[in-house]
Amino acid sequence: MREILFWGATGQASVLHEAIQGSDLKLVALADNRKVKLGKLGLQVMHGEKELIDWLVRRSGAELHFAVAVGGSRGRQRIELMDMLLRHGLKAASVVHRTAFVAASASIGECCQILAQSAVGAFTQLGRGVIINTAASVDHDCVLGDGVHLGPGARVAGEVTVDAGAFIGTGAVVLPRIWIGEGAVVGAGAVVTKNVPVGVTVIGNPARVYVKK
């Protein structure tokens, strides 16, 4: 069995823990920047990088892998955490749920999460730290940049490009050949029919730019 640490100890960690059941990964530690009490996974949570370093110094044994259990629109933070853990000698692990479909021609970057009943289509490319959440799908010839997150049930049609750190919310639909800019947010249930500029939030059907009043 490969031993794995999750950085992040709340909701996304619960989903990841279920996803590694029946695999060759065994959860042995949790860490989080927040002070999290002992949670559902039955492990004490280390607080911050310093406690992690102290634990690593004391630890002996097998090579240690990691996954970053930080979801939502925090893709940039997820990549920063990945880089920190790599600096400390941990090995990035991608997690693919046993019920997920990944096309043989798809390209999967390090530390991706492809969760229950999700699908990654032919010739699609996933960057580093991408999350394809429960029952989400990304069709053929798409390119998803580092830190992109597709929420549960999101649907991305063929030949779509989603730049780094963008978040596509629960149940959203992105039509073919659309471009979604870096750091953009697609609201839950939105239907994206036009390109989405860098850093904006779009909502509705058809999706339109959301402006706070």
Side-chain angles (χ1 to χ4, degrees):
M1 295 289 285
R2 294 184 295 159
E3 296 186 343
I4 190 168
L5 170 145
F6 292 168
W7 187 285
T10 54
Q12 192 69 17
S14 296
V15 174
L16 274 176
H17 186 249
E18 197 284 326
I20 66 172
Q21 301 307 303
S23 75
D24 67 340
L25 291 167
K26 177 184 178 182
L27 180 65
V28 297
L30 294 167
D32 204 303
N33 278 326
R34 300 161 297 174
K35 288 191 174 181
V36 180
K37 294 181 179 179
L38 185 69
K40 297 176 182 177
L41 302 183
L43 294 170
Q44 193 68 37
V45 180
M46 291 175 278
H47 177 231
E49 186 176 358
K50 183 180 184 305
E51 286 193 13
L52 171 64
I53 293 170
D54 291 344
W55 180 77
L56 290 172
V57 169
R58 298 191 304 270
R59 180 181 183 269
S60 61
E63 184 176 66
L64 184 62
H65 295 76
F66 74 87
V68 179
V70 174
S73 57
R74 294 175 290 173
R76 181 176 297 177
Q77 180 186 2
R78 190 159 58 252
I79 298 300
E80 290 171 353
L81 289 166
M82 284 174 53
D83 289 339
M84 179 270 288
L85 293 165
L86 288 167
R87 287 195 300 272
H88 290 306
L90 283 69
K91 306 295 183 183
S94 286
V95 174
V96 180
H97 194 278
R98 57 197 172 276
T99 64
F101 167 77
V102 179
S105 57
S107 173
I108 308 300
E110 66 177 355
C111 212
C112 289
Q113 301 168 30
I114 302 172
L115 299 176
Q117 300 179 350
S118 62
V120 177
F123 297 103
T124 280
Q125 301 173 44
L126 305 186
R128 304 173 69 222
V130 171
I131 297 176
I132 310 297
N133 220 320
T134 306
S137 65
V138 52
D139 216 323
H140 65 91
D141 298 289
C142 291
V143 178
L144 276 57
D146 295 348
V148 167
H149 183 174
L150 270 61
R155 297 284 185 262
V156 175
E159 300 179 28
V160 168
T161 297
V162 185
D163 286 348
F167 174 66
I168 299 175
T170 299
V173 176
V174 181
L175 297 188
R177 294 175 291 281
I178 294 293
W179 166 73
I180 296 176
E182 182 174 352
V185 173
V186 176
V191 177
V192 181
T193 61
K194 297 180 180 179
N195 292 341
V196 178
V198 171
V200 306
T201 296
V202 296
I203 61 173
N205 179 9
R208 61 193 183 281
V209 175
Y210 171 71
V211 180
K212 282 187 177 181
K213 296 181 179 179

